[in-house]
Amino acid sequence: GKASAEGDQAGAFKTLATQPVGKWLLVLVTIGLAAMTVWQALEAAVGHIEERGRSRTFERIASAGKATFYAYLAYKAVAVLQGSSASSGDQQQQKTTTMMDSTGGRWLVGLIGIAIIAVGVGIIWYGATKRFEKHLRGGQLTSELRRSVRTLGMVGYIAKGAGYGVLGRLVLIAASNDEPGRYRRLDGGA
């Protein structure tokens, strides 16, 4: 069927805010997102001391990306709490249309799509090679629990990477299409 309301990045926050005690829960979510932003920003600035060389640089860059993402989500949650009703899907569609109408805009959108796919491939590789295990305290887990965590970690990272791949493909399709609004986002459908 068709959704009763247009989905966008703030859709979950809007849904939560309309529930009983939802605004209070959204305040708690916002505080949690702000705390995650600060934590990841600190990790990016001075963290990952157990790593060395390029591995540490990569982890710090990843933490900076996470901090940016959590800050964005916190911003969206605050906007919902303040009653912002503008659809981010409409805003994104307008920005994408403007970008694609400019000189070289389609190439730029295409490069963004390729970058998103590359991130997805990297996430899949990270999960498939079990690189996430270095962050686990495996010695404190039973062998059965360790196998379960390993399997869930691999499946989770591979699924996340596949999601990025789908998103990147949609961006590439939009770059090659004359109608950028047709493929506006993953949660809003075509």
Side-chain angles (χ1 to χ4, degrees):
K2 241 182 162 143
S4 59
E6 184 178 339
D8 63 14
Q9 286 85 351
F13 295 144
K14 290 176 185 174
T15 301
L16 179 60
T18 62
Q19 304 303 313
V21 303
K23 288 209 179 207
W24 290 107
L25 290 174
L26 188 53
V27 167
L28 291 175
V29 166
T30 304
I31 292 168
L33 288 168
M36 291 292 289
T37 301
V38 171
W39 172 45
Q40 289 300 316
L42 286 172
E43 287 282 342
V46 295
H48 303 289
I49 56 175
E50 69 280 357
E51 302 289 333
R52 297 285 180 249
R54 282 194 277 167
S55 179
R56 183 174 188 214
T57 301
F58 173 78
E59 292 293 339
R60 291 175 74 184
I61 290 170
S63 289
K66 291 175 189 177
T68 303
F69 178 69
Y70 290 132
Y72 172 76
L73 289 179
Y75 167 77
K76 284 299 199 180
V78 168
V80 168
L81 285 168
Q82 293 175 340
S84 173
S85 61
S87 165
S88 65
D90 291 338
Q91 293 168 357
Q92 287 173 356
Q93 181 178 347
Q94 180 59 41
K95 289 176 186 175
T96 304
T97 301
T98 302
M99 183 188 303
M100 288 180 62
D101 287 342
S102 67
T103 305
R106 282 180 183 239
W107 287 100
L108 180 59
V109 172
L111 287 174
I112 291 170
I114 290 169
I116 293 170
I117 290 171
V119 168
V121 169
I123 292 171
I124 289 171
W125 172 83
Y126 190 81
T129 59
K130 304 175 200 135
R131 301 270 301 183
F132 59 89
E133 286 186 312
K134 68 182 179 182
H135 299 289
L136 300 176
R137 294 183 182 149
Q140 297 176 353
L141 302 175
T142 65
S143 62
E144 184 178 313
L145 186 56
R146 189 174 18 256
R147 279 192 303 274
S148 297
V149 168
R150 179 181 295 132
T151 301
L152 288 172
M154 289 176 65
V155 169
Y157 276 106
I158 291 170
K160 184 178 181 180
Y164 274 86
V166 169
L167 179 61
R169 184 171 186 279
L170 290 174
V171 172
L172 282 175
I173 289 170
S176 66
N177 192 310
D178 287 337
E179 305 171 55
R182 186 171 171 200
Y183 303 96
R184 54 194 281 177
R185 60 186 178 280
L186 203 52
D187 63 350

